[in-house]
Amino acid sequence: MKYTKENFIFLLCGIIIYIVDIGVDFWVASKYFYKGQYTWAILIISFRCLSSLITQIFSYQWFKNDCEDTDPEKLRWIFLVHFFHCGIFIRYWFALKYGCQAAFKQNSNGDVSETDHPNFIQKQAIDILADINMLRIFKTFLETTPQLFVQIYVLMEHKNHNFYQYAAIIMSFCGISFSTVDYQVSLRKSLPDKERFRVLSKLVYLFYKLLTITSWILSISLVTLLSARSSVILLILLWSCGFAWTLKQHTTFCKSKEMEFLYRTIIGIVLLFTFFNIKGRKTKVPISIYYVTHTLVTVGILLVYWFWKPSVVKEIHFTIVGILTILCLVLGIVFLVVYYRFFHPTCYCKQRTCFDEVDRGAGDNVEIGRFQNFIMQ
């Protein structure tokens, strides 16, 4: 486990994208309000508020779990910061602090205290980054991906296209890209027997995720154009399947039953858009069922348009969307197969204990932490 300069650069890029994304969200929402399109504005803000609320809840709970022996007054201040939805910035501050030390200022010469030891700083930087990336996964699939769906649907529904809509779509794709890749980097660092997540594997993984997610969002957008009620029913049905699967897996990510239920509910939403291994077990059969189902639903949607809406099929925009949907799906599955065949870390935790401790190189062992019970890939 080593925190590199590349990790620090990605962290800086992630912070910039996070801040810009907040500004773009409010900019786009204000544009919709100005034009009287209140539904889209409310949806954009609602997704933002929902993701912020969930990330603050989990961030505070993690602080509370990690600081059980801390002064209660300090915990109250931490609670207030999270209450005002600024908890993520505390984590970014610590990530910058320890990340800069780990990547640029490490020096193991001479006598140093335990908290100044290079290996301690390395682990702190990696653990803090892992927490941030887990929170960003929540944000990606509770806010960024739904907002991308809204923007694409609006572009398909209305003929007038504006710069701010394209800006929002670009920011959504950037957000999905950085969060998924950063998350995979943190996951690799939690698996000490696996090689580093190199550039080629990052690109293959990125294209697999982006293409399959894009294809699915286009498919759901087509369903929504056909019937908003059908779209809602389909999403609820698929969420129910994902939630039931998480229940069957008996996840153990949180310490309390209430937080674990919330976690499983959110993972059900994540599974609406993409597949994750939520238990660290072999998932050849589940992932096959997952993407076969998505493929059948996508093809079914296009066939419904072909037989029930022949007038729409003749329109040029539908032809473009249909081709993009199928092309993204096929290419995404190709990248998926390539990733799992050549780049996937196949040795995961068994019974969640095999990586409870790792050699620090200084004669001590340290716990991996909560990351080992989070969703994997």
Side-chain angles (χ1 to χ4, degrees):
M1 301 203 306
K2 183 174 176 59
Y3 190 96
T4 64
K5 295 178 181 178
E6 179 185 348
N7 298 140
F8 187 78
I9 293 173
F10 263 85
L11 173 65
L12 289 176
C13 292
I15 295 173
I16 293 172
I17 289 178
Y18 183 85
I19 295 174
V20 172
D21 186 47
I22 294 175
V24 170
D25 284 346
F26 285 104
W27 177 46
V28 172
S30 66
K31 290 291 185 180
Y32 282 134
F33 267 117
Y34 179 76
K35 292 189 173 184
Q37 298 174 322
Y38 302 117
T39 301
W40 310 131
I42 292 173
L43 281 175
I44 295 295
I45 298 300
S46 297
F47 290 138
R48 156 64 59 181
C49 293
L50 174 63
S51 72
S52 181
L53 176 63
I54 295 299
T55 54
Q56 301 306 317
I57 290 174
F58 276 94
S59 178
Y60 173 71
Q61 191 65 40
W62 296 347
F63 269 120
K64 188 176 178 181
N65 293 340
D66 296 341
C67 305
E68 292 180 345
D69 299 328
T70 304
D71 181 10
E73 185 65 25
K74 183 177 180 181
L75 280 178
R76 280 194 287 269
W77 277 107
I78 292 176
F79 172 80
L80 282 176
V81 172
H82 284 82
F83 181 80
F84 289 105
H85 290 244
C86 295
I88 189 68
F89 294 108
I90 297 179
R91 293 190 176 274
Y92 273 128
W93 162 250
F94 283 114
L96 288 172
K97 174 184 175 182
Y98 286 107
C100 183
Q101 293 178 24
F104 300 101
K105 299 181 180 180
Q106 278 200 106
N107 186 358
S108 59
N109 296 327
D111 296 330
V112 294
S113 65
E114 181 181 349
T115 56
D116 290 332
H117 195 284
N119 289 327
F120 174 83
I121 294 174
Q122 281 280 337
K123 182 177 186 300
Q124 285 294 100
I126 291 172
D127 286 349
I128 293 170
L129 185 61
D131 283 348
I132 289 175
N133 286 332
M134 286 189 286
L135 294 174
R136 285 172 62 188
I137 284 291
F138 289 152
K139 177 184 180 298
T140 296
F141 294 103
L142 292 176
E143 175 195 338
T144 308
T145 307
Q147 285 180 347
L148 180 60
F149 159 68
V150 170
Q151 296 298 340
I152 290 178
Y153 171 78
V154 171
L155 284 178
M156 293 168 60
E157 175 70 16
H158 303 283
K159 303 301 181 182
N160 296 328
H161 302 163
N162 298 283
F163 171 75
Y164 63 86
Q165 293 174 305
Y166 291 109
I169 290 174
I170 291 172
M171 284 307 304
S172 294
F173 275 117
C174 288
I176 294 172
S177 302
F178 272 95
S179 65
T180 51
V181 171
D182 272 358
Y183 172 75
Q184 186 62 211
V185 170
S186 293
L187 175 59
R188 290 297 183 97
K189 288 183 180 297
S190 74
L191 303 174
D193 290 342
K194 288 300 173 181
E195 64 178 13
R196 183 182 172 190
F197 198 38
R198 302 186 184 280
V199 175
L200 182 58
S201 54
K202 287 179 183 177
L203 290 175
V204 172
Y205 179 79
L206 175 61
F207 285 128
Y208 146 51
K209 285 295 184 183
L210 277 182
L211 290 170
T212 53
I213 290 173
T214 300
S215 173
W216 185 240
I217 289 176
L218 291 174
S219 299
I220 299 300
S221 299
L222 288 173
V223 175
T224 308
L225 284 172
L226 193 64
S227 170
R229 181 180 298 178
S230 299
S231 176
V232 172
I233 292 173
L234 176 62
L235 291 176
I236 291 176
L237 177 62
L238 293 174
W239 173 83
S240 300
C241 294
F243 180 68
W245 188 54
T246 62
L247 292 178
K248 187 176 183 298
Q249 296 296 305
H250 301 289
T251 58
T252 56
F253 179 64
C254 302
K255 291 184 177 182
S256 67
K257 292 182 178 180
E258 296 78 10
M259 289 298 297
E260 189 65 32
F261 182 83
L262 178 61
Y263 170 72
R264 293 173 179 178
T265 302
I266 295 169
I267 295 305
I269 297 175
V270 172
L271 292 173
L272 280 177
F273 300 103
T274 190
F275 181 85
F276 276 104
N277 182 351
I278 62 174
K279 195 66 173 179
R281 298 172 179 171
K282 292 183 179 180
T283 54
K284 184 177 181 179
V285 173
I287 196 173
S288 299
I289 294 174
Y290 182 90
Y291 283 109
V292 166
T293 301
H294 273 215
T295 302
L296 291 176
V297 172
T298 298
V299 173
I301 292 169
L302 294 176
L303 289 177
V304 167
Y305 267 93
W306 184 270
F307 289 106
W308 287 5
K309 297 287 184 179
S311 58
V312 176
V313 173
K314 295 178 182 179
E315 297 180 8
I316 184 64
H317 80 274
F318 177 85
T319 303
I320 295 174
V321 171
I323 292 174
L324 282 176
T325 301
I326 295 297
L327 186 62
C328 288
L329 177 61
V330 172
L331 290 177
I333 291 177
V334 169
F335 279 108
L336 180 154
V337 173
V338 172
Y339 173 75
Y340 275 86
R341 178 65 180 84
F342 299 104
F343 302 108
H344 183 254
T346 54
C347 180
Y348 282 132
C349 301
K350 297 180 179 178
Q351 304 301 324
R352 300 183 309 282
T353 58
C354 63
F355 295 135
D356 282 349
E357 295 183 343
V358 293
D359 185 10
R360 294 177 63 188
D364 297 321
N365 287 329
V366 347
E367 294 182 356
I368 288 289
R370 67 179 65 86
F371 194 73
Q372 60 184 323
N373 290 330
F374 198 62
I375 51 179
M376 297 187 178
Q377 185 56 278

